[in-house]
Amino acid sequence: MDHTSNVDIYSQKLSDEEFRRIQRFMLDTLGIKLAPIKIVMVNSRLIKRLKSTGIGNFKDYLDYALSSEGRVNGEFECMIDELTTHKTDFFREPEHFVFLREQVLPNFVSDRYAPFKIWSAGCSTGEEPYTMGMVLNEYQLANPSFDFTIFATDISNASVMRGVRAIYNKDSLSGVDKNLIRKYFLVSRDTTENKVRVVKQLREKIHFSILNLVDDYFFQNGSLDVIFCRNTLIYFDDVSKRQVVGKLIEKLKPGGYLYVGLSETVSQFSTAIKQVSPSVYVKLN
Ligand SMILES: C[S@@+](CC[C@H](N)C(=O)[O-])C[C@H]1O[C@@H](n2cnc3c(N)ncnc32)[C@H](O)[C@@H]1O
């Protein structure tokens, strides 16, 4: 491995062969299709990893990150983190949460042995499952017999860990109602810090774990009421999209709902679902 400090890391350029190696890896491991135009983005993001690891060129870096040593040392995950998009927000695509509150929840029949089960698949840093948590907790306050469980998964270990910590910049709350902020966030005592933390009561409702959507899922078939898989499949190739959509639908109860991002459509991948609202699908019986 070239760890020489006098190599100019910033001038390193990915060769076509190295980029093809990354494309193959991303497709095989994550189902993500990297278009040729992404070479510039990949180049600049992986330069950060060259800098952090002190490895002087892309060939040695890829050999290391993809080796068993790289996997054990966490570089494999750092590379995935750099090559995936984690953009998210509280109440992102707010109409989805309106549909949840006004259409989905009132039709759920409460049963104290079977709480409402919802999964944020591709949860990034946690804003989506915590938004679900606020909506569901508010619903529970008005309907005391209602109970819920939220599962949140992502392939990115770093993102999931941020979700578990539940500490966010105050600015990220700009789309959140003031009453909800007061109820569900603790503001740092240090006024220079600009940080907030989700309250314990809500943190305890979210079960975070790491899961690659291309692999097997730990949920039982037909066990979930709602799955959000938003702005995640968008990066997948069509073959992986079809497989993942099929597996997600399998995990839903008949009559359960699958949400994708507002710019996505998945009805072409399955006849087992019907669209009921923009980018919301119901599983047919
Ligand atoms: C753009 S974020 C979407 C976050 C959230 N669902 C939303 O809409 O705001 C996409 C997330 O999908 C995750 N992701 C990408 N490929 C994945 C895979 N194969 N399995 C699980 N998660 C994946 C990324 O790590 C990233 O956090």
Side-chain angles (χ1 to χ4, degrees), residues 127-141:
E127 288 85 337
E128 181 176 271
Y130 287 122
T131 303
M132 292 170 170
M134 288 185 259
V135 171
L136 296 177
N137 204 65
E138 288 297 297
Y139 188 78
Q140 187 178 42
L141 290 172

Side-chain angles (χ1 to χ4, degrees), residues 3-220:
H3 282 251
T4 45
S5 54
N6 54 359
V7 176
D8 180 7
I9 282 174
Y10 292 100
S11 67
Q12 293 297 307
K13 288 269 168 288
L14 269 174
S15 69
D16 288 347
E17 194 193 327
E18 285 155 0
F19 182 62
R20 276 198 297 276
R21 191 174 170 197
I22 296 170
Q23 280 179 310
R24 266 198 311 276
F25 156 76
M26 291 295 281
L27 191 59
D28 293 348
T29 315
L30 284 90
I32 291 179
K33 192 174 170 183
L34 282 179
I37 196 168
K38 293 279 169 73
I39 190 167
V40 181
M41 177 275 282
V42 172
N43 200 116
S44 77
R45 290 198 182 175
L46 288 190
I47 277 179
K48 288 191 217 156
R49 296 313 310 155
L50 295 188
K51 191 161 179 289
S52 295
T53 54
I55 300 176
N57 66 73
F58 286 124
K59 180 184 177 304
D60 288 348
Y61 174 76
L62 291 174
D63 285 348
Y64 172 62
L66 299 176
S67 69
S68 43
E69 191 192 351
R71 285 173 197 247
V72 170
N73 293 342
E75 191 51 41
F76 178 77
E77 293 206 336
C78 291
M79 182 173 101
I80 290 180
D81 260 8
E82 281 302 339
L83 299 183
T84 45
T85 305
H86 304 286
K87 185 194 157 7
T88 187
D89 270 317
F90 291 105
F91 286 93
R92 183 180 194 183
E93 299 174 346
E95 48 272 65
H96 280 161
F97 297 97
V98 174
F99 188 83
L100 179 65
R101 189 177 59 231
E102 294 182 0
Q103 304 292 327
V104 179
L105 294 176
N107 287 314
F108 176 75
V109 181
S110 288
D111 170 348
R112 71 192 173 107
Y113 299 109
F116 181 82
K117 293 199 193 74
I118 186 166
W119 175 22
S120 166
C123 65
S124 189
T125 41
E127 288 85 337
E128 181 176 271
Y130 287 122
T131 303
M132 292 170 170
M134 288 185 259
V135 171
L136 296 177
N137 204 65
E138 288 297 297
Y139 188 78
Q140 187 178 42
L141 290 172
N143 300 272
S145 63
F146 176 80
D147 197 10
F148 63 95
T149 303
I150 301 173
F151 302 97
T153 66
D154 200 282
I155 189 152
S156 159
N157 183 44
S159 295
V160 167
M161 290 322 291
R162 286 183 58 194
V164 171
R165 275 175 49 225
I167 297 174
Y168 300 97
N169 282 332
K170 247 189 215 162
D171 315 338
S172 68
L173 298 179
S174 58
V176 185
D177 178 271
K178 295 260 178 318
N179 289 324
L180 296 180
I181 297 178
R182 242 177 269 125
K183 236 184 213 173
Y184 296 111
F185 292 89
L186 297 168
V187 180
S188 161
R189 277 196 210 105
D190 179 350
T191 48
T192 58
E193 267 236 317
N194 203 35
K195 298 280 184 211
V196 291
R197 188 169 198 204
V198 177
V199 295
K200 187 161 177 251
Q201 177 208 359
L202 202 55
R203 292 203 307 272
E204 286 177 349
K205 290 299 267 185
I206 325 276
H207 304 276
F208 281 99
S209 40
I210 293 163
L211 183 125
N212 182 351
L213 289 168
V214 170
D215 296 340
D216 290 337
Y217 308 162
F218 43 76
F219 301 101
Q220 279 183 357

